């Protein structure tokens, strides 16, 4: 089975567009930066700029000799956006990280247990934003989209759609029926006609319009599939790359552990979030971490002036192994296993022998300990950990995770395109009517070998002792800075 697909991943920091054939061969790929406009707690991007960037990426592929006459287009991208439309135009996208409307979290019109029964989760950011916009600026929007990839679909086809993965995070979708649940927004000033159609990831959203074809070079009439939010796309690709259904760890700006599941699980300790999986009747259980690559980057700037390679060398120094020094990485509050938005970071166990190298090493160990705690929450046990995200670029971090987990760490050699591979699986499934497993395996890249990192077993005993101390110390951070 074969086909050619154009797969686009519109993330928070970049847009990646690639042409992939059904044999897992990447014929060409382009990455373009995406700009975020910040003002205090306001975090926005400009949808028209998304479209300009997409057009540029498509034309670059063409200029590189890549034919855009494909069997289908499928997109993924950042989730939990609020993209208001007025008279068919969208000028701004309010991102998931935007804090406006957060006060509406306390204005539920349904008891929390009723909300959880419908959604599998508590309220999240998008619904409060919609309520805030409905109350404060009702004249500024008449329709809404929830994901960056859905804006690309709208510009390509004129269709307004959403997938169940991203639908989950709106707080307005019934996670069991995968349909909008009006009871969740009843009386809020939001109307059903303002919401996009919910489609399964492999369903056809529409076909490339003549105007879009002239701007992008993609032939008019090319099918465009609904695709899915990046959380679902990465999970789909990670499961296929790892060759198992046991979950994976994500180490980006923030972090998470994600595990495919057949049932919903409400956690009493820590924050567990559920997404509807691409497969109907299944879910993705996510244990999020607020501190990961953002803390790593802070450490690189603090000790090495932003020089990534210098930080890697600092950690590799022989004297950088300390048996007592701990770092609690809660620089931005935390959600797992300590739920405390006011939590702070801390070095513990400093003595006169501690050097910068010790502290740098302790930062990465603290991040790895946090990640391992989420795996315990998820009940995951595996001899190999599949690790994804920008943090995998660090050799030191990969090795630290392997040493802390005391298992092999597997990293995709084509890390930057992982979400694009997951999205492409939707198009492959649509064209060939195959199972999700077959589709995900079919679009795996065959160009590069996976990176495998083995643990240093000589560090096992020392790191286990430090981990026990870390768990005790981290637990004591809860509520410490609330006064």
């Amino acid at each position: 089975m074969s086909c050619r697909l154009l797969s686009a991943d519109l993330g928070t920091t970049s847009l990646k567009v690639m042409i992939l054939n059904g044999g897992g061969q990447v014929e060409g790929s382009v990455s373009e930066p995406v700009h975020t406009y910040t003002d205090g707690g306001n975090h926005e991007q400009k949808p028209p700029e998304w479209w300009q960037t997409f057009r540029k990426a498509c034309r670059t592929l063409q200029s590189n000799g890549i034919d855009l006459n494909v069997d289908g287009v499928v997109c993924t991208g950042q989730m939990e956006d609020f993209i208001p439309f007025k008279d068919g135009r969208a000028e701004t996208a309010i991102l998931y990280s935007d804090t406006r409307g957060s006060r509406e979290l306390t204005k539920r019109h349904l008891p929390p247990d009723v909300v959880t029964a419908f959604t599998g989760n508590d309220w999240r950011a998008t619904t409060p934003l919609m309520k805030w916009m409905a109350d404060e600026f009702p004249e500024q929007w008449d329709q809404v989209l929830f994901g960056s990839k859905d804006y690309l679909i709208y510009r390509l086809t004129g269709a307004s759609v959403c997938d169940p993965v991203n639908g989950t995070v709106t707080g307005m979708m019934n996670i069991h029926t995968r349909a909008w649940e009006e009871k969740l927004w009843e009386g809020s000033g939001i109307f059903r006609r303002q919401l996009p159609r919910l489609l399964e990831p492999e369903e056809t959203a529409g076909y490339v319009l003549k105007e879009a074809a002239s701007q992008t070079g993609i032939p008019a009439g090319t099918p465009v599939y609904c695709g899915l939010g990046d959380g679902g796309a990465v999970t789909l690709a990670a499961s296929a790359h790892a060759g198992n259904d046991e979950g994976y760890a994500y180490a980006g700006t923030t972090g998470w552990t994600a595990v495919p599941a057949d049932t919903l699980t409400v956690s009493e300790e820590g924050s567990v979030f559920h997404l509807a999986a691409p497969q109907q009747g299944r879910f993705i259980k996510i244990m999020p971490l607020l501190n990961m690559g953002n803390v790593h980057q802070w450490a690189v700037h603090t000790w090495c002036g932003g020089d990534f390679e210098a930080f890697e060398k600092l950690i590799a120094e022989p004297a950088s192994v300390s048996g007592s020094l701990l770092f609690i990485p809660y620089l931005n509050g935390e959600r797992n296993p300590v739920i405390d938005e006011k939590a702070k970071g801390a070095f513990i166990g400093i003595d006169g022998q501690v050097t910068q190298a010790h502290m740098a090493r302790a930062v990465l160990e603290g991040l790895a300990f946090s990640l391992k705690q989420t795996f315990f929450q998820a009940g995951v046990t595996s001899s190999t950990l599949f690790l994804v995200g920008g943090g995998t670029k660090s050799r030191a971090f990969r090795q630290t995770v392997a040493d802390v987990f005391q298992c092999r760490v597997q990293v995709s050699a084509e890390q930057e395109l992982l979400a694009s591979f997951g999205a492409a699986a939707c198009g492959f499934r649509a064209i060939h009517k195959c199972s999700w497993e077959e589709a995900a395996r079919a679009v795996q890249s065959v160009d590069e070998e996976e990176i495998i990192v083995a643990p240093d077993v000589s560090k096992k005993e020392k790191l286990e002792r430090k981990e026990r101390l870390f768990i005790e110390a981290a637990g004591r951070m809860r509520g410490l800075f609330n006064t």
Side-chain angles (χ1 to χ4, degrees):
M1 295 188 292
S2 65
C3 60
R4 294 181 75 246
L5 294 164
L6 185 150
S7 181
D9 173 17
L10 180 47
T12 308
T13 59
S14 67
L15 166 71
K16 304 171 190 69
V17 180
M18 74 175 183
I19 303 296
L20 179 75
N21 66 36
Q25 184 76 37
V26 178
E27 297 182 12
S29 65
V30 175
S31 180
E32 298 286 349
V34 173
H35 183 65
T36 299
Y37 299 86
T38 60
D39 180 13
N42 301 358
H43 296 173
E44 297 184 8
Q45 292 182 355
K46 304 299 181 185
E49 293 180 6
W50 290 345
W51 180 244
Q52 292 171 8
T53 303
F54 179 74
R55 290 168 54 189
K56 179 182 178 182
C58 290
R59 291 303 186 185
T60 299
L61 285 171
Q62 281 190 311
S63 68
N64 291 339
I66 306 298
D67 186 4
L68 300 190
N69 186 9
V70 293
D71 296 303
V73 176
V74 63
C75 304
T76 185
Q78 56 181 290
M79 300 164 56
E80 211 169 342
D81 293 341
F82 177 80
I83 309 170
F85 277 71
K86 183 69 174 179
D87 300 325
R89 296 175 61 86
E91 299 300 329
T92 190
I94 303 176
L95 304 189
Y96 61 90
S97 52
D98 195 292
T99 59
R100 284 173 290 178
S102 60
R103 65 182 184 274
E104 301 295 342
L105 284 168
T106 62
K107 297 183 179 179
R108 299 184 180 95
H109 64 283
L110 291 174
D113 58 337
V114 174
V115 174
T116 300
F118 279 126
T119 67
N121 304 292
D122 203 343
W123 284 133
R124 291 304 185 207
T126 307
T127 296
L129 273 172
M130 287 193 70
K131 179 67 168 63
W132 174 69
M133 290 287 285
D135 287 346
E136 303 292 331
F137 308 102
E139 74 286 351
Q140 291 189 10
W141 64 289
D142 49 38
Q143 287 183 298
V144 66
L145 292 176
F146 297 116
S148 58
K149 63 96 177 170
D150 297 323
Y151 179 79
L152 295 182
I153 292 173
Y154 178 83
R155 293 300 300 263
L156 285 167
T157 69
S160 176
V161 300
C162 180
D163 64 279
V165 179
N166 201 19
T168 310
V169 297
T170 66
M172 294 186 292
M173 189 191 82
N174 186 321
I175 197 170
H176 306 284
T177 64
R178 300 162 79 96
W180 298 125
E181 185 65 57
E182 192 164 356
K183 293 178 182 177
L184 291 166
W185 72 82
E186 199 169 38
S188 68
I190 299 166
F191 300 97
R192 174 65 184 83
R193 65 176 181 271
Q194 297 170 308
L195 304 181
R197 282 189 304 149
L198 274 168
L199 296 179
E200 292 299 322
E202 72 273 27
E203 288 190 280
T204 302
Y207 300 87
V208 175
L209 301 171
K210 289 182 179 179
E211 181 180 357
S214 68
Q215 294 182 34
T216 63
I218 305 169
T222 302
V224 179
Y225 304 108
C226 182
L228 70 176
D230 55 6
V234 171
T235 300
L236 197 59
S239 295
H241 273 262
N244 61 48
D245 204 21
E246 297 178 347
Y248 66 95
Y250 175 81
T253 302
T254 57
W256 68 68
T257 292
V259 183
D262 295 318
T263 58
L264 301 177
T265 305
V266 178
S267 171
E268 305 221 348
E269 274 296 314
S271 174
V272 177
F273 192 71
H274 296 99
L275 298 176
Q279 306 91 333
Q280 293 195 41
R282 300 204 74 195
F283 311 99
I284 302 170
K285 184 167 63 173
I286 292 181
M287 282 60 64
L289 292 165
L290 295 181
N291 299 281
M292 192 54 58
N294 45 12
V295 176
H296 190 172
Q297 185 178 41
W298 165 80
V300 172
H301 280 275
T302 298
W303 285 291
C304 297
D307 188 331
F308 179 83
E309 281 302 322
F311 189 79
E312 294 279 287
K313 292 178 181 177
L314 180 65
I315 291 175
E317 291 180 9
S320 65
V321 178
S322 171
S324 61
L325 185 65
L326 295 174
F327 178 67
I328 309 300
Y330 302 161
L331 302 191
N332 306 288
E334 195 44 274
R335 294 170 69 177
N336 271 302
V338 171
I339 308 176
D340 185 356
E341 64 179 15
K342 296 182 180 180
K344 304 295 182 184
F347 281 101
I348 300 172
I350 296 176
D351 59 27
Q353 304 303 311
V354 167
T355 67
Q356 287 186 345
H358 290 126
M359 299 178 86
R361 167 66 65 179
V363 168
L364 295 195
E365 289 176 350
L367 295 175
F369 289 143
S370 283
L371 202 58
K372 190 174 180 181
Q373 284 185 284
T374 65
F375 261 69
F376 283 135
Q377 276 184 286
V380 177
T381 56
S382 177
S383 59
T384 299
L385 166 64
F386 193 73
L387 186 65
V388 306
T392 61
K393 295 178 182 179
S394 167
R395 300 181 301 277
F397 183 69
R398 295 195 303 253
Q399 187 63 58
T400 302
V401 171
D403 294 343
V404 166
F405 278 71
Q406 279 296 300
C407 71
R408 297 196 320 163
V409 167
Q410 180 180 353
V411 176
S412 170
E414 295 192 320
Q415 190 67 226
E416 298 296 324
L417 295 177
L418 204 59
S420 298
F421 287 124
C426 302
F428 193 91
R429 173 173 159 82
I431 292 169
H432 294 292
K433 312 300 180 188
C434 59
S435 70
W436 278 112
E437 292 72 22
E438 291 172 321
R441 286 196 301 269
V443 298
Q444 287 186 71
S445 173
V446 297
D447 293 339
E448 301 286 345
E449 293 184 4
E450 306 283 87
I451 299 169
I452 303 294
V453 182
D456 183 342
V457 295
S458 69
K459 296 180 179 179
K460 182 176 185 293
E461 185 176 341
K462 180 177 289 186
L463 286 173
E464 285 179 346
R465 185 172 63 84
K466 292 185 73 171
E467 183 182 2
R468 290 192 294 270
L469 292 173
F470 176 90
I471 292 171
E472 181 178 353
R476 295 186 181 186
M477 301 299 287
R478 193 193 313 266
L480 186 62
F481 295 94
N482 287 347
T483 57

